[in-house]
Amino acid sequence: MIPCFGEATTKSDKVNPVRKLKGKVFVTGATGHVGANVVRRLLADGKEVRVLLEPGKKADALDGLDVERVSAELTDIGALETAMKGCAQAFHVAAIIATGVPNPALERRIYDVNVTGTQNLLRVAQHIAMDRVVVTGSFSANGWNREDPHAPANETFAHYPFDEVLPYSRTKVQVEHECLKAAVEGLDVVIATSCAVLGPHDYEPSRMGRTLLDFAHGKLRAYVPGGFEFIPAKDIAAGHMLAMQRGRSGQKYIFSSRFVSIDEMMDIWEKVTGRPRPKLRLSPTVMAGVAQVTSFFMDRFAPNKPQRFTPAAVRILRSQRRADTTKARTELGFLPTPIEDAIQAAYEDFVRRGLAPSGPARQTTAAALEATA
C-alpha cells in the first residue's frame, strides 16, 4: 500500500554507515551564527578549513581561529571556482536573511546571493569533483499539514506556494530545487535543514540574539504568545557533520531540539539573565497590528536599523509550527541537547564579549527568581 502523505519519513530503520572523508573543507557563511559554529566543530574534529568571506565584511566570528581565508562574491562564479579549488568537501551556509518588508533592490540581492550563489557553488563543486556538499536549508521553506497546522511536519511535506512568506523563505525553497537539480546531474549533495538557532558565537547577532540582549538590558517592553522549533547552535553544527558523514545523497534532513513557546522562553530568559520578563503580554492580533505600523515607519525612515518583531516574525510565531526529526534521528543518529543549555551558553558568550550585563546584581536577581519559581 502506498503510504499516506507525510508518513514516509525514512527508508531506513537503522543509522547509516559513516563515510570517511578526507581533505580540506570549504565553508561559506562562516561569520554567521550557524557558520561560526560549523567552523568550530570542524576545527575540533581536526579538519583543515578554508572559509569564504564576502569582500569588506567584518570577520570577528573567526578571530583566533586557524582557518584559511579567501575573499569572493558568491555571484562571481569565476572567483568562486578559484576560491574552492583544492577543497574536497563544502558546507554552504551563507544566505541573506531579511525579515522586514524588502524593497526591490533588497529582493534582488536576496535572490542573487541565496539562489544564484547556491547555483554557482553547486556548479563549481561538480566541476572540480568535490566529494560532497552540505547545503543549509531553512524550516521556513518546508511544507506543513494544512488540515492540522500544529502537526509535526517532516521532509515529505511540500511547500505551499500561495502562503504569504518572506522573500528569504521563497529563495530557500528555490535553493532546495537547485540542490535536487544538481543531484540529478550527479553531484553528491545533502540538505541540512535548520530551525531557529540558539547558542554561542552569535556575532552579528541574529534576531533571536538581539532579542535576548534587549531582554537582558530591559529594552524588551512587550512580548507576544506563540512559539517555534528551536535548535542549539552546537546541535545544528553536529547535524551538518552528520549530514556530511551519514546522509544519503540528494536527501533533506530536518534538525531541531523541540518546540518552545514564547512563555516558556521568557521563563528560561528570566533564570539566565536575572531580569524579569516584560509585564506587557500582547495578544497576537494586537501585536500583528503594532508590528505592521512600526515596520511601515522603520522601513521608510530607518531601513538599516534591525527590527525585532516584524509582521513576518509575528506571523511565524503565531503559526506555532512543529518539526518531525524522525529521519535525522533514525538515519543519522541525531541526538539533540537541551535548549536551556544553549540559552545559557549564548548568554555567557554575550557576557564574555561585553554585550550583556554580569556581576552580583544579575546573580542576586537570578537567585530571587529561582526561589519564587
Side-chain angles (χ1 to χ4, degrees):
M1 179 181 292
I2 298 175
C4 295
F5 185 68
E7 288 185 350
T9 58
T10 178
K11 293 183 178 180
S12 175
D13 59 358
K14 59 183 179 181
V15 176
N16 297 339
V18 173
R19 289 183 58 185
K20 294 183 178 179
L21 300 169
K22 299 180 179 179
K24 186 173 291 187
V25 183
F26 186 76
V27 182
T28 70
T31 60
H33 197 187
V34 174
N37 281 275
V38 166
V39 167
R40 283 165 173 78
R41 173 58 190 267
L42 286 168
L43 293 175
D45 289 348
K47 299 291 187 179
E48 279 189 273
V49 179
R50 179 186 297 166
V51 300
L52 180 73
L53 299 178
E54 183 182 343
K57 187 170 184 178
K58 291 177 62 177
D60 297 356
L62 303 175
D63 286 352
L65 300 184
D66 183 17
V67 296
E68 180 186 356
R69 306 184 187 200
V70 293
S71 180
E73 293 276 5
L74 283 166
T75 51
D76 186 342
I77 193 168
L80 190 58
E81 180 177 4
T82 300
M84 292 174 66
K85 280 184 176 178
C87 293
Q89 304 98 41
F91 288 98
H92 179 41
V93 187
I96 292 180
I97 303 174
T99 59
V101 180
N103 54 53
L106 179 57
E107 285 181 332
R108 181 55 189 265
R109 177 65 177 161
I110 293 171
Y111 176 85
D112 287 346
V113 172
N114 296 3
V115 181
T116 305
T118 298
Q119 184 183 61
N120 287 346
L121 183 136
L122 296 174
R123 288 173 61 192
V124 171
Q126 187 162 21
H127 178 67
I128 64 176
M130 276 190 160
D131 299 327
R132 169 165 283 188
V133 178
V134 172
V135 175
T136 306
S138 170
F139 189 55
S140 67
N142 203 80
W144 49 284
N145 188 333
R146 305 194 68 78
E147 281 66 47
D148 185 4
H150 296 333
N154 60 47
E155 295 84 355
T156 67
F157 286 85
H159 175 78
Y160 188 70
F162 307 110
D163 280 331
E164 184 183 0
V165 297
L166 291 166
Y168 164 74
S169 300
R170 293 184 188 278
T171 60
K172 294 304 280 188
V173 174
Q174 290 182 273
V175 163
E176 291 189 10
H177 290 174
E178 291 302 323
C179 290
L180 297 178
K181 285 162 57 179
V184 169
E185 294 297 325
L187 179 66
D188 191 336
V189 56
V190 180
I191 302 167
T193 296
S194 176
C195 294
V197 181
L198 296 164
H201 312 301
D202 187 4
Y203 279 82
E204 292 193 357
S206 64
R207 188 175 73 248
M208 281 304 302
R210 292 194 301 267
T211 306
L212 174 56
L213 287 173
D214 283 349
F215 184 101
H217 288 283
K219 295 180 179 179
L220 192 65
R221 308 301 183 189
Y223 68 100
V224 59
F228 198 66
E229 288 281 339
F230 290 90
I231 183 167
K234 72 173 185 178
D235 288 1
I236 191 59
H240 278 67
M241 302 306 120
L242 290 170
M244 180 66 76
Q245 298 164 355
R246 297 181 183 270
R248 286 186 287 132
S249 183
Q251 295 293 310
K252 166 182 170 180
Y253 297 90
I254 296 173
F255 296 99
S256 177
S257 175
R258 65 182 177 90
F259 177 88
V260 181
S261 72
I262 298 304
D263 285 293
E264 183 183 1
M265 187 70 74
M266 293 294 109
D267 289 338
I268 301 170
W269 284 5
E270 281 186 331
K271 293 176 181 178
V272 168
T273 67
R275 181 179 288 276
R277 74 186 66 196
K279 294 181 179 180
L280 195 56
R281 183 180 186 268
L282 297 177
S283 74
T285 302
V286 171
M287 192 65 184
V290 171
Q292 195 74 40
V293 173
T294 57
S295 285
F296 176 84
F297 286 100
M298 292 286 286
D299 290 335
R300 282 155 182 78
F301 302 109
N304 296 321
K305 188 174 181 179
Q307 299 180 47
R308 307 296 185 262
F309 289 100
T310 64
V314 174
R315 188 166 60 248
I316 291 169
L317 291 175
R318 292 177 68 179
S319 68
Q320 301 190 56
R321 293 178 55 194
R322 270 76 166 178
D324 181 350
T325 59
T326 300
K327 185 175 179 181
R329 292 170 183 263
T330 304
E331 292 194 20
L332 308 183
F334 172 64
L335 294 173
T337 59
I339 284 295
E340 293 82 356
D341 293 350
I343 295 172
Q344 183 70 47
Y347 191 77
E348 289 175 357
D349 191 50
F350 284 141
V351 170
R352 177 185 63 82
R353 289 157 48 200
L355 300 177
S358 62
R362 173 196 162 209
Q363 295 167 8
T364 301
T365 312
L369 287 166
E370 190 74 45
T372 58

